[in-house]
Amino acid sequence: MKLPDNFIYSQSSLQDYVNCPYRFYLRHIQGLQWPALQTDDALLMEEHMLSGARFHRLIQQYFLGLPLERLHNTAEADPNPDLPVWWQNFHQKLSQTISATRFPEVKLISSITDTRLMAKFDLVSVSSDHLTIYDWKTSQKPATKTQLKARLQSRVYPYLLAKEYAALTKANTYKPEDISMIYWQANFPDDPQVIEYSQSAFDADELYLTHLIKEINSKSEQNFIKTGNLKHCKFCNYRSLCEKGVQAGSFSELEPGFEDSDLLEFSIDIDQIDEIRF
Amino acid sequence: MLIPSRRTVIVYNNFMQLTKEQNALISSAPKGKTFLCGPSGTGKTTIGVQRMLALLNMGIPASSILVLTPQRTLAGPYQHALETKPAYSGSSVTLLTLGGLARRMVGLYWPIINDLAGFKHPNTSPSFLTLESSQYFMAHLVTPLFEKGYFNSIVLERNRLYSQIIDNINKAAIVGFPHTEIGERLKSAWVGDLSQLNVYDNVQDCVNLFRSFCLENNLLDYSLQIELFRNLIWPSEIFRYKLFSTCKHVIYDNLEEDPPFAYDILQEWLPNLDSALLIFDEGGGFRRFLGADPNTASDLREHCDKIHTFSESFTSSKDLQALNSTIKHLQNRDLDRARQKSLSLETLQEILVVPGDELRFYPQMLDWVVSEVKNLIDSGTPPGEIVILAPFISDMLRFSLNHRLEKIGIPTRSHRPSRALRDEPAAQCLLTLTTLAYPQWQMLPSKFTLAYAMMQAIDGLDLVRAQLLVEQAYQKDDPANLLKAFDDFPSLLRERITYQIGAKYEHLRLWFNQTDKEEALDIFLSRLFGEVLSQSGFRFHRDLDSGRITANLIESVRKFRWAMAETRQDSNFTLGKEYLQMLADGVIAAQYLQSWKQSDQEAVFIAPAYTFLMNNQAVDYQFWLNTSSSGWYVRLEQPLTHPYVLSREWTQGQKWTAEHELAVSQEGLKRLITGLIARCRKRVYLGISGLNENGSDERGLMMRLIQTVFQQSLRGADGG
């Protein structure tokens, strides 16, 4: 299968493929717009996503060095009453623990089997002997380490950083053992999920990702088959096209930790919103 | 993501053909500021792309490189080169427009500027307006003023009226004068009927109202984004520290198409950069009506250490280049040099083809164009190497060409900058069904409109049966029970409509009965699409085009809802109803841009000439239709604004006269013709007919110029 020109793999597109090869085909190869609901409580989900985006923005502003008082005021004025709490949790329990050299909202790209793999990190912090990836989550339900580890994000992010950290710092050399990934959950600040990386995990991820991407690259159109797992179809906008159901699944049934990847098709990421064409 | 055509790839692989000077420029040390100028087709963008790659090869971090272009499509070659560069990894080069940079930075640095800009709710995040939502709010503010006599001497479609007022406020921001001076500037240049002065006063009132409304409601239109960035963010230490420490190398391509605010920024930025490559197209400046200011852009050379001028075309044939020179000399009234440069008649006829027989009627000319296109394709020309251009592409012209070409199996693609969503059958269907679901809005459709929507919705239903169905089912006077159950139809009618269709109708009817009458319109549309219309048995099922149109419509409604969330409307306000009314009036969703990536690059491209120029890709063959039309050079009528009077070059107090108008027409025509020829490799075909599209006889400046070119060559052939 010929991928679209300029196609770059990401944890999100790979997760799509793993969940349902046909969804990957429709979304990333065909670029098909199919605007059915993804969850039944669409407004609730939208509000959740928008709040999450504002929280991400607030943390980015913090690491840019914007005055703290102004960020407090912004958080307090937010329409979502949870956001000031998330902000306080972040400020009081996490912000001071993150080391001096910090790269918020940073994007890294790596070559893999003649194609590219990209990751956009919420934050990477660099110390003399350690690299830490932070990912902010704002789910109402706590995500367990098992759930998070099962996601492609937990493989792609540390793998990419291990390969491409030199784009951020050339001061030291780092081994995979020097990398950890922290899912910091704004509603559960005392329960961060830490995933330590290692050489063996790196080797396994390299093998897995290379195999996965080769598999996709060599697949013919008709072999992008539909998933048999209807749970995925419940939250997939293509369900009517595949004749896999009518109604979207309930927002409350969504697995915690989904935000920022699966359903962020809304144009709410500030960087993705179209510029005004003037 | 952009998908440049295959042609682009070929051009950028021609690196080895570059001159020594060009190679030296590409591989020079990453220091200093270079101004690179030259006509289109001389390899400037190729140099820009190769310079970017060379910087990466030198070990410059990608994150410290910024590529700026006036519009995103022009960044295509850079994006393509990055994404096909072998072993490119690490951080990424940023590709942006300056407007995009301003927008991002206003969002990011909002907490440090919000109390300085006069917003009523400084701590609340602002809402960014699109052109569409700006137009809506302008309509909201201006409509009550019509009753007070505002603009009563102007005959203009409402949406154009609103957009011209918005254009004014944007011009003030990008040129860099206070928005409160718009009316006076326009008035001071006016010669003519004094009633126009009142119109300019009306414009100023509307601009003031709009700005106050935005500040009151935390709305950031384009003009505010630019002003906040220029006046508050750009000077701030915290922003400068971050920008100057991360962005060290700038490549700015097609500089001449950006407005003066971009040059102000760049002038201050240049001393803080390690390296810069500013690329200036000497024949460009096509976006004048959007504020492009090529003369001010050209002055940036004074701030650079080195100036390189390229003159050798890598695109046009030698004969086309000679033709371009002749045209330039003729337009500069340098007849001697024009004569010296003129081509032999035989050569001219080879590169500038006119119909062999005189064609009186417009359709005959279209037939000739189609037959010439067919000849080219039959002789091995890829369809993507052919463009058909006209000053404007009307629906009729587009249809006529598409129909003729597709009938003989030639693929086409057309790109008009705008197309109304309400004109799309899928959107009409959705909107008609929406009015049924919300009877309280009192916008119920006519029987015929509903029948047409039913036909669009239900697979297998033709218009005759749709009308029978609606005639029986539709109870417009009973909003609580608008659609009658199929079982209550007379049995003969049920048989005629068929039970299969009846079952689908019942599915739709029952679905309507259980809808939430208070649901947000965009959510309702998503639900209608996903739960009914795209399901098996309905016409949107597996109709990918309907999916795309529905997605466009939903996006438009959603952005409207988000913008409206910031304003405090009275309790009688119904967002969905308001959207539908504004849509019907053409105020919103009057235009949406189809993505370039949806276009088949290997098809004959039918486009307005300026759209093709701004696409900035050369082709082998061009067809110019309506060559006798004045549309090639006459400015669009804009009674509420003026791109030249509101430009930085204009001397305040000077009057805009007919001489000015003629001068800009001639200058515009020169830019257009030379720009088109510079983007043509082999041959131009002139679609000439005695009568134009409207059946009238026209003899515009372009036609006269072409006649003069031929006369020059004839004289040469006669030895005169």
Side-chain angles (χ1 to χ4, degrees):
Chain A
M1 167 55 61
K2 185 187 178 305
L3 291 166
D5 286 357
N6 308 340
F7 183 78
I8 301 183
Y9 283 100
S10 66
Q11 60 91 13
S12 168
S13 61
L14 290 172
Q15 188 72 56
D16 276 340
Y17 180 77
V18 169
N19 288 353
C20 173
Y22 193 58
R23 175 175 164 81
F24 175 90
Y25 171 77
L26 294 173
R27 188 178 173 195
H28 302 288
I29 296 179
Q30 291 293 312
L32 181 62
Q33 291 174 287
W34 203 251
L37 291 180
Q38 291 180 286
T39 71
D40 196 35
D41 314 307
L43 276 182
L44 191 63
M45 189 181 84
E46 180 188 290
E47 176 46 34
H48 179 80
M49 307 296 279
L50 288 169
S51 302
R54 292 195 299 272
F55 181 62
H56 278 68
R57 162 61 49 90
L58 207 54
I59 297 182
Q60 187 185 2
Q61 289 165 334
Y62 171 82
F63 287 117
L64 280 175
L66 269 51
L68 207 52
E69 189 191 338
R70 296 197 176 228
L71 300 183
H72 282 313
N73 291 342
T74 304
E76 288 298 326
D78 195 87
N80 183 346
D82 289 340
L83 198 138
V85 179
W86 299 344
W87 170 249
Q88 285 303 327
N89 287 342
F90 166 78
H91 182 237
Q92 288 168 6
K93 301 192 174 183
L94 185 71
S95 62
Q96 305 303 317
T97 68
I98 299 176
S99 68
T101 311
R102 298 162 302 195
F103 297 89
E105 300 297 325
V106 65
K107 196 158 81 174
L108 292 178
I109 298 169
S110 190
S111 289
I112 182 165
T113 69
D114 295 331
T115 183
R116 312 284 164 87
L117 178 62
M118 183 266 287
K120 191 176 176 195
F121 302 87
D122 287 346
L123 179 76
V124 175
S125 82
V126 177
S127 68
S128 60
D129 59 355
H130 206 78
L131 303 169
T132 311
I133 301 163
Y134 288 90
D135 198 78
W136 323 124
K137 297 286 184 201
T138 52
S139 303
Q140 295 295 328
K141 290 183 286 190
T144 65
K145 192 185 252 185
T146 310
Q147 285 170 325
L148 292 167
K149 274 191 92 165
R151 304 196 62 75
L152 261 292
Q153 186 182 13
S154 301
R155 305 185 82 155
V156 169
Y157 278 33
Y159 169 75
L160 253 170
L161 186 62
K163 275 184 83 179
E164 304 296 344
Y165 69 83
L168 303 180
T169 175
K170 289 193 166 69
N172 297 295
T173 53
Y174 300 88
K175 299 190 291 294
E177 283 77 7
D178 302 328
I179 294 175
S180 54
M181 179 162 183
I182 298 178
Y183 287 101
W184 189 80
Q185 307 187 76
N187 277 309
F188 311 96
D190 299 322
D191 193 19
Q193 300 298 340
V194 183
I195 297 172
E196 300 293 351
Y197 210 46
S198 65
Q199 185 64 49
S200 59
F202 176 86
D203 294 341
D205 287 343
E206 180 152 77
L207 197 65
Y208 174 75
L209 292 171
T210 304
H211 174 77
L212 195 62
I213 288 171
K214 272 186 178 165
E215 181 181 306
I216 298 171
N217 290 351
S218 62
K219 203 160 226 176
S220 58
E221 193 174 329
Q222 63 273 18
N223 286 334
F224 286 91
I225 53 166
K226 296 169 190 171
T227 180
N229 183 350
L230 289 180
K231 197 177 151 201
H232 292 309
C233 303
K234 281 173 84 174
F235 300 102
C236 177
N237 53 310
Y238 297 115
R239 88 184 68 79
S240 59
L241 196 68
C242 302
E243 301 185 21
K244 290 287 184 84
V246 175
Q247 255 111 24
S250 164
F251 179 64
S252 58
E253 291 173 41
L254 264 177
E255 194 177 285
F258 68 87
E259 72 261 40
D260 310 330
S261 54
D262 292 355
L263 298 176
L264 202 60
E265 279 187 4
F266 286 107
S267 49
I268 58 169
D269 178 348
I270 212 80
D271 291 342
Q272 302 298 323
I273 294 176
D274 282 353
E275 294 153 20
I276 291 178
R277 296 167 178 94
F278 171 61
Chain B
M1 195 181 294
L2 297 162
I3 304 176
S5 73
R6 281 167 221 166
R7 293 186 299 281
T8 316
V9 181
I10 295 163
V11 170
Y12 298 113
N13 284 342
N14 276 349
F15 185 39
M16 296 312 289
Q17 295 174 3
L18 297 175
T19 64
K20 203 172 157 187
E21 182 201 8
Q22 289 168 330
N23 279 318
L25 200 163
I26 289 164
S27 54
S28 61
K31 295 209 176 304
K33 322 295 152 40
T34 302
F35 192 87
L36 171 57
C37 56
S40 173
T42 51
K44 300 185 301 301
T45 296
T46 304
I47 302 298
V49 169
Q50 295 298 341
R51 174 63 174 169
M52 174 187 73
L53 298 178
L55 288 172
L56 292 170
N57 289 338
M58 288 174 208
I60 302 287
S63 56
S64 70
I65 302 171
L66 172 65
V67 175
L68 288 168
T69 51
Q71 66 182 40
R72 287 197 289 187
T73 47
L74 293 171
Y78 293 88
Q79 185 156 3
H80 183 78
L82 281 173
E83 291 169 357
T84 50
K85 182 183 183 306
Y88 166 56
S89 57
S91 58
S92 56
V93 173
T94 306
L95 309 178
L96 270 180
T97 64
L98 212 55
L101 178 71
R103 189 203 186 291
R104 282 188 191 195
M105 293 305 115
V106 169
L108 198 54
Y109 288 88
W110 175 255
I112 63 167
I113 59 162
N114 55 16
D115 58 342
L116 304 173
F119 288 96
K120 193 172 177 188
H121 311 282
N123 288 325
T124 310
S125 294
S127 182
F128 288 86
L129 296 186
T130 60
L131 189 57
E132 183 176 287
S133 46
S134 295
Q135 197 150 306
Y136 165 73
F137 286 117
M138 187 61 82
H140 173 73
L141 295 166
V142 174
T143 302
L145 300 177
F146 293 136
E147 285 179 20
K148 293 183 181 174
Y150 275 55
F151 305 113
N152 61 5
S153 61
I154 297 290
V155 180
L156 193 64
E157 285 171 37
R158 288 286 167 88
N159 61 337
R160 288 192 59 211
L161 186 144
Y162 306 135
S163 69
Q164 286 183 33
I165 302 172
I166 291 168
D167 196 40
N168 280 320
I169 193 166
N170 289 343
K171 288 265 166 44
I174 60 177
V175 173
F177 63 87
H179 70 274
T180 48
E181 289 180 10
I182 291 166
E184 280 308 316
R185 284 180 182 239
L186 290 169
K187 280 162 71 177
S188 71
W190 176 253
V191 284
D193 189 347
L194 292 179
S195 66
Q196 181 66 19
L197 300 180
N198 282 336
V199 171
Y200 291 143
D201 283 332
N202 292 167
V203 166
Q204 186 63 61
D205 289 348
C206 296
V207 163
N208 296 346
L209 267 176
F210 182 73
R211 175 55 62 89
S212 303
F213 186 81
C214 287
L215 293 175
E216 176 90 8
N217 293 289
N218 271 32
L219 301 174
L220 288 179
D221 71 315
Y222 179 82
S223 70
L224 265 171
Q225 292 169 37
I226 297 299
E227 285 182 22
L228 294 180
F229 178 68
R230 176 76 191 91
N231 302 332
L232 298 176
I233 293 175
W234 181 257
S236 82
E237 285 302 318
I238 195 165
F239 168 75
R240 286 189 166 215
Y241 172 76
K242 180 71 183 167
L243 181 73
F244 297 163
S245 61
T246 52
C247 179
K248 302 279 192 187
H249 307 271
V250 165
I251 296 170
Y252 199 153
D253 202 348
N254 287 107
L255 185 67
E256 73 289 343
E257 301 297 343
D258 255 336
F261 113 89
Y263 316 137
D264 297 341
I265 295 285
L266 210 59
Q267 251 185 58
E268 295 174 27
W269 197 351
L270 283 172
N272 297 286
L273 290 167
D274 287 355
S275 83
L277 175 62
L278 309 185
I279 300 176
F280 179 84
D281 187 336
E282 278 172 348
F286 302 115
R287 303 205 312 169
R288 275 250 180 208
F289 64 104
L290 292 178
D293 191 344
N295 294 336
T296 310
S298 179
D299 292 344
L300 279 171
R301 70 183 73 214
E302 306 300 329
H303 300 268
C304 293
D305 317 312
K306 289 181 193 159
I307 300 171
H308 286 261
T309 306
F310 290 174
S311 53
E312 189 190 345
S313 176
F314 285 77
T315 306
S316 302
S317 66
K318 293 284 177 209
D319 292 336
L320 278 166
Q321 289 175 52
L323 173 64
N324 234 352
S325 297
T326 307
I327 288 172
K328 277 182 204 162
H329 293 316
L330 282 174
Q331 293 214 296
N332 294 337
R333 300 186 189 288
D334 187 348
L335 297 181
D336 286 342
R337 293 182 74 184
R339 204 166 295 132
Q340 284 163 17
K341 292 274 179 185
S342 69
L343 295 160
S344 70
L345 187 60
E346 193 183 7
T347 308
L348 184 64
Q349 285 173 329
E350 179 60 30
I351 59 167
L352 203 56
V353 179
V354 294
D357 300 319
E358 193 174 320
L359 305 174
R360 176 149 179 76
F361 298 106
Y362 196 73
Q364 291 176 299
M365 185 271 287
L366 296 183
D367 290 339
W368 175 77
V369 167
V370 169
S371 95
E372 292 297 328
V373 169
K374 184 174 183 309
N375 289 342
L376 289 172
I377 290 172
D378 287 347
S379 58
T381 303
E385 286 296 342
I386 300 169
V387 293
I388 301 176
L389 306 171
F392 316 105
I393 301 285
S394 65
D395 279 342
M396 186 55 81
L397 175 57
R398 195 165 62 113
F399 173 79
S400 301
L401 284 168
N402 280 344
H403 179 68
R404 283 170 165 81
L405 288 166
E406 284 172 9
K407 210 164 75 176
I408 52 173
I410 297 175
T412 63
R413 63 187 175 110
S414 59
H415 181 88
R416 298 191 318 159
S418 61
R419 181 173 163 84
L421 264 179
R422 61 183 171 158
D423 293 338
E424 297 285 357
Q428 285 170 353
C429 169
L430 285 159
L431 295 167
T432 303
L433 295 180
T434 298
T435 58
L436 279 190
Y438 296 86
Q440 70 273 28
W441 295 351
Q442 298 180 329
M443 299 176 80
L444 291 171
S446 68
K447 281 183 178 172
F448 181 78
T449 305
L450 181 57
Y452 189 72
M454 286 291 188
M455 184 187 76
Q456 291 295 333
I458 295 173
D459 197 20
L461 178 61
D462 57 50
L463 190 57
V464 174
R465 281 184 297 174
Q467 284 179 296
L468 286 173
L469 187 149
V470 168
E471 189 61 44
Q472 184 65 34
Y474 191 25
Q475 305 179 125
K476 202 172 175 181
D477 299 332
D478 184 4
N481 189 26
L482 277 170
L483 295 175
K484 200 194 276 185
F486 191 67
D487 281 349
D488 296 338
F489 286 20
S491 61
L492 271 176
L493 187 62
R494 274 185 283 167
E495 279 170 23
R496 191 163 172 206
I497 291 170
T498 76
Y499 285 93
Q500 202 181 15
I501 295 286
K504 293 174 192 173
Y505 162 75
E506 269 304 286
H507 183 86
L508 183 63
R509 188 184 74 85
L510 292 172
W511 186 87
F512 270 119
N513 286 348
Q514 51 84 46
T515 55
D516 174 1
K517 302 286 185 258
E518 302 300 323
E519 191 163 53
L521 179 56
D522 52 316
I523 309 291
F524 167 81
L525 289 170
S526 268
R527 202 183 290 283
L528 173 60
F529 174 83
E531 295 179 6
V532 186
L533 299 182
S534 68
Q535 293 286 337
S536 174
F538 291 86
R539 222 183 274 266
F540 288 25
H541 186 58
R542 296 191 177 150
D543 178 354
L544 310 188
D545 215 33
S546 293
R548 178 179 59 78
I549 289 161
T550 309
N552 273 303
L553 180 65
I554 289 170
E555 187 190 0
S556 168
V557 180
R558 182 182 296 138
K559 284 180 177 170
F560 181 71
R561 173 164 61 78
W562 286 355
M564 295 306 294
E566 296 298 324
T567 63
R568 281 72 181 156
Q569 298 290 342
D570 62 52
S571 56
N572 292 326
F573 180 83
T574 309
L575 195 135
K577 182 183 180 184
E578 185 77 359
Y579 181 88
L580 256 60
Q581 280 171 341
M582 289 289 156
L583 187 78
D585 292 345
V587 173
I588 48 179
Q591 53 182 348
Y592 70 96
L593 290 152
Q594 292 185 345
S595 169
W596 287 95
K597 75 177 175 184
Q598 285 160 353
S599 301
D600 175 8
Q601 296 288 334
E602 285 312 319
V604 174
F605 186 34
I606 302 167
Y610 279 108
T611 304
F612 171 72
L613 284 171
M614 286 310 298
N615 196 16
N616 203 23
Q617 286 182 1
V619 293
D620 286 350
Y621 300 100
Q622 295 179 6
F623 287 78
W624 301 354
L625 307 193
N626 310 344
T627 38
S628 38
S629 166
S630 59
W632 290 95
Y633 52 88
V634 170
R635 286 193 304 121
L636 286 175
E637 193 200 356
Q638 291 185 303
L640 307 188
T641 183
H642 199 301
Y644 291 90
V645 168
L646 297 183
S647 74
R648 193 173 282 183
E649 288 177 296
W650 186 252
T651 308
Q652 275 203 69
Q654 204 182 348
K655 300 291 181 191
W656 181 264
T657 62
E659 284 76 31
H660 287 113
E661 195 67 56
L662 182 63
V664 300
S665 288
Q666 287 177 331
E667 177 60 24
L669 183 62
K670 185 170 92 179
R671 278 181 197 278
L672 183 82
I673 294 181
T674 53
L676 290 176
I677 294 176
R679 289 164 178 80
C680 184
R681 296 194 192 94
K682 294 180 179 169
R683 192 181 300 152
V684 175
Y685 291 79
L686 302 173
I688 301 169
S689 57
L691 300 178
N692 67 15
E693 197 175 3
N694 303 321
S696 55
D697 190 6
E698 215 177 355
R699 283 282 175 270
L701 290 178
M702 184 193 243
M703 196 63 228
R704 278 187 262 164
L705 181 67
I706 288 163
Q707 283 168 342
T708 312
V709 170
F710 273 98
Q711 281 163 5
Q712 292 282 350
S713 291
L714 263 174
R715 282 196 196 115
D718 294 344

